[in-house]
Amino acid sequence: MCRGSPHHKLYRDAAPFNVRYLNAAATRALSRFRCAGAQRDGMNMRMGKIRRTEKSKITGIRVPRLVCSFSAASAVCLLLIAWPAQAQTISLFAGNGNTTSSGDGGSATAAAINEPSGLAIDPAGDVYISDTNGWRVRRVNPAGIISTVAGNGTYGATGDGGQAINASFSDVFGIALDGAGNLYVADASNRRVRKVTAAGIVTTIAGTGVQGNTGDGGLATNATLNRPIAVALDAAGNLYICDSSNHNVRRVNLTTGLITTYAGNGVPAFAGDGGLATAASLMFPLAVATDKSGNLYVADAGNNCIRRVSSAGVIATVAGNGNLSGFAGDGAAATAALINLPSGVAVDGAGSLFIADSGNNRLRKVDATSGIISTMAGGDGNGSSGDGGPATNSLLDYPWGIAIDSTGALYIADRMNNRIRKISGAAVPPPPPPLPPAPAPSSTPTVTSFTPAAATGTAQTYSLQIGEASGWQDIDVVNVLINRSLDGRQACYLAYSQTNMLYLVNDNGDGLLPGMPLNGSGTLANSQCVVTGAGSSAVGSGNTLTLTLNISFTSALAGDRVVYAAARTLTLNSGWQTMGVLSVPPWPSNFPNGIGTTPSSGSAASATFAFTFGDANTAANLQTAWALFNTALDGRSACYIAYYRPGNQVLLYPDNGDPSKAASMVLAGANTLSNSQCTISAQGSSVAANVSQLTVNLNITFKPAFAGPKAVWMAVQTMGGAQTSQWRPLGAWVVPSN
């Protein structure tokens, strides 16, 4: 351990570089670095001393300087000439500099954040902050008000299955968000990755809590991790975990829940460029990020470089030279530059790379086109100054996490300053967060029918049939859930047991109310619905169980709802299936809005659907209307359609749901659009409008591979994107298998 650092306290939670975590192989691998003086890396190690002249006192100009970096085997000196950089303005976004965790409900700039390290931003502009030593995740809304969304401030590992704000975490580092608002948290000292749903429920999705490096090929919840410190998502539905003290990156398929090693062979060293990433060596990776092309970027901190893993699995170094720590190279190729303990990485919409060069107290950028590296913020030494002026004249203190919002503003977790700093207009906006993957395909037993698939009103009798190949008697539990999303809270959530008992889940979604036998005279009630025993029944015959439910809905359930169903035996579970939609008055009256589809339900391989959209002012104000057929609100592997009124064009999104790659046709003639799920024919399609409504009639044929029950969601946008409605579930359709 190097002595003399004013920041020696970081060793407690700085995890990867604490000598307590290093095995003999790691210690030998790190021995090539020389401790020199008090050069600060924030992690209780001194990985090379940089000798340099002082910055010129003339504002905005840097004098030529000689920069040297030393290792156990060699020394490198570079003469750097002044490299002008465009300087955006830096400002304080959150944190008052105090090392506590307080201030919820007030201005983020007046709140205390304790060594923040991770950042994530949702499409609404909410900024999520990992309050690392406060053992929380905080959120700053667009109005600048801060609140806690996960963690009760107590160091621990409790609370799975309940509200995240009541759970305990330890050393919260990297965080990531998907397009549905699910939050993924690297709970480092608990050796787990946890998920907080948009409804606020926390669960563990990777790691058992036991230190190790096992479980590849199996469920991630059965795998062991060692100091998971960062997470990232890709558009294909994979979660990447920086398993730092295992010197690798793991990947979890969020559809199947299976975990594999994606990069790193577990040996702490620098090796493998040009070959498969799984055969390469990393050393204490601290951050990961993905780009729109499927490349993964790894902040390989112990090797003082950024590595890139292509979508084909090949690894290369894209910044830093992988051997020496230090600061050098601005204005030249990033691969020839010196970097010191990079702890954060992000990619913007143009492919430019942003690096938290933590040991150098700088934020650096690698231009996507030229590959040239430059400093965007920070300078010689550590400090907290420069807000309101050029970012290149500011001082940072061990920057860590980086995030980019939809305006191109860049946010920095200025960790040892206990602040979040913001640089406006510093980047190209990245793509929106990816939607979570659709649920895994059902296994037996299976909900084979559900009627009515589309219903309106305050009361309804539902009938569903569940098939089981071994006989209906093997069906153990059937669930029906009616809510806006797959959330058991404030829902009409029912459970049928093979004992002929029916149960209703309470308003909190965490317990069963006293049950009642079917075919009786009793009732079950919560705040959303009342189920009457009279008119409800369960009848088994052969391989089929028919369940009938007589339900009345309260005004608390008003609006558009999705009806989900699931069934299980003692060993097999169908998983949730999207079976229908329900509209309970009073209905939303805001415009613009999707109004409905005709037919609203049915089963056929092809049909002409009439999608009706409205605007209280005039239908001529409508610009783009959308319809989406899928099992969940997911544009991937879906029949996902848009109608652009000014051009009379229909667009069909590809299998990956990428709007930029949608195919289009004018709604005239005999043209067709097709993806793996459906085909749209211009012949038989048309558009009609009156004063306040637009109806788009589309002739759609579904592919056999798209078989099964689907919900139909609709949304609409006015001219210039001035107003956009919410997605509304307004129909249900069953695609036959042949």
Side-chain angles (χ1 to χ4, degrees), residues 620-638:
N621 192 40
L622 298 178
Q623 173 181 282
T624 307
W626 293 276
L628 170 66
F629 292 77
N630 210 352
T631 55
L633 189 56
D634 188 340
R636 296 167 297 175
S637 300

Side-chain angles (χ1 to χ4, degrees), residues 334-379:
T335 49
L338 295 183
I339 300 172
N340 192 357
L341 286 172
S343 302
V345 63
V347 188
D348 74 3
S352 291
L353 191 64
F354 297 85
I355 304 167
D357 192 355
S358 305
N360 286 320
N361 301 304
R362 285 172 166 84
L363 176 73
R364 299 173 82 178
K365 175 183 177 180
V366 179
D367 182 78
T369 303
S370 66
I372 300 298
I373 192 169
S374 59
T375 293
M376 292 194 65

Side-chain angles (χ1 to χ4, degrees), residues 362-402:
R362 285 172 166 84
L363 176 73
R364 299 173 82 178
K365 175 183 177 180
V366 179
D367 182 78
T369 303
S370 66
I372 300 298
I373 192 169
S374 59
T375 293
M376 292 194 65
D380 296 338
N382 57 289
S384 179
S385 63
D387 286 343
T392 49
N393 290 346
S394 66
L395 288 179
L396 307 174
D397 197 352
Y398 214 80
W400 194 292
I402 309 169

Side-chain angles (χ1 to χ4, degrees), residues 201-477:
I201 303 300
V202 63
T203 56
T204 294
I205 63 168
T208 63
V210 175
Q211 179 177 312
N213 187 18
T214 63
D216 276 0
L219 290 174
T221 48
N222 295 332
T224 57
L225 308 173
N226 191 0
R227 199 74 180 167
I229 207 161
V231 287
L233 295 159
D234 69 14
N238 296 302
L239 176 73
Y240 297 87
I241 303 170
C242 227
D243 197 0
S244 183
S245 291
N246 280 328
H247 313 290
N248 61 26
V249 176
R250 315 281 286 274
R251 183 173 72 174
V252 179
N253 182 313
L254 294 177
T255 300
T256 64
L258 301 180
I259 191 170
T260 55
T261 294
Y262 190 74
N265 58 14
V267 177
F270 178 75
D273 275 3
L276 289 177
T278 50
S281 293
L282 308 174
M283 189 185 297
F284 295 110
L286 293 185
V288 281
T290 60
D291 67 16
K292 60 186 178 183
S293 300
N295 298 306
L296 178 75
Y297 295 83
V298 183
D300 193 0
N303 287 317
N304 303 295
C305 65
I306 306 297
R307 316 279 288 275
R308 180 180 63 203
V309 182
S310 72
S311 57
V314 176
I315 195 168
T317 297
V318 294
N321 63 24
N323 288 292
L324 302 173
S325 67
F327 174 74
D330 276 4
T335 49
L338 295 183
I339 300 172
N340 192 357
L341 286 172
S343 302
V345 63
V347 188
D348 74 3
S352 291
L353 191 64
F354 297 85
I355 304 167
D357 192 355
S358 305
N360 286 320
N361 301 304
R362 285 172 166 84
L363 176 73
R364 299 173 82 178
K365 175 183 177 180
V366 179
D367 182 78
T369 303
S370 66
I372 300 298
I373 192 169
S374 59
T375 293
M376 292 194 65
D380 296 338
N382 57 289
S384 179
S385 63
D387 286 343
T392 49
N393 290 346
S394 66
L395 288 179
L396 307 174
D397 197 352
Y398 214 80
W400 194 292
I402 309 169
I404 305 166
D405 71 14
S406 60
T407 70
L410 193 145
Y411 298 75
I412 311 163
D414 194 359
R415 185 176 177 191
M416 295 313 300
N417 280 324
N418 304 296
R419 291 179 167 95
I420 307 299
R421 315 280 286 276
K422 176 181 177 180
I423 306 175
S424 298
V428 175
L435 287 168
S442 299
S443 59
T444 57
T446 303
V447 182
T448 56
S449 71
F450 188 97
T451 56
T456 299
T458 59
Q460 187 60 56
T461 299
Y462 284 110
S463 176
L464 59 157
Q465 292 186 330
I466 304 96
E468 168 51 43
S470 59
W472 73 269
Q473 297 90 342
D474 285 347
I475 298 171
D476 184 47
V477 174

Side-chain angles (χ1 to χ4, degrees), residues 557-578:
L557 205 71
D560 303 310
R561 307 286 168 161
V562 183
V563 185
Y564 305 91
R568 68 172 173 84
T569 65
L570 291 175
T571 58
L572 295 173
N573 195 324
S574 72
W576 287 105
Q577 295 176 253
T578 304

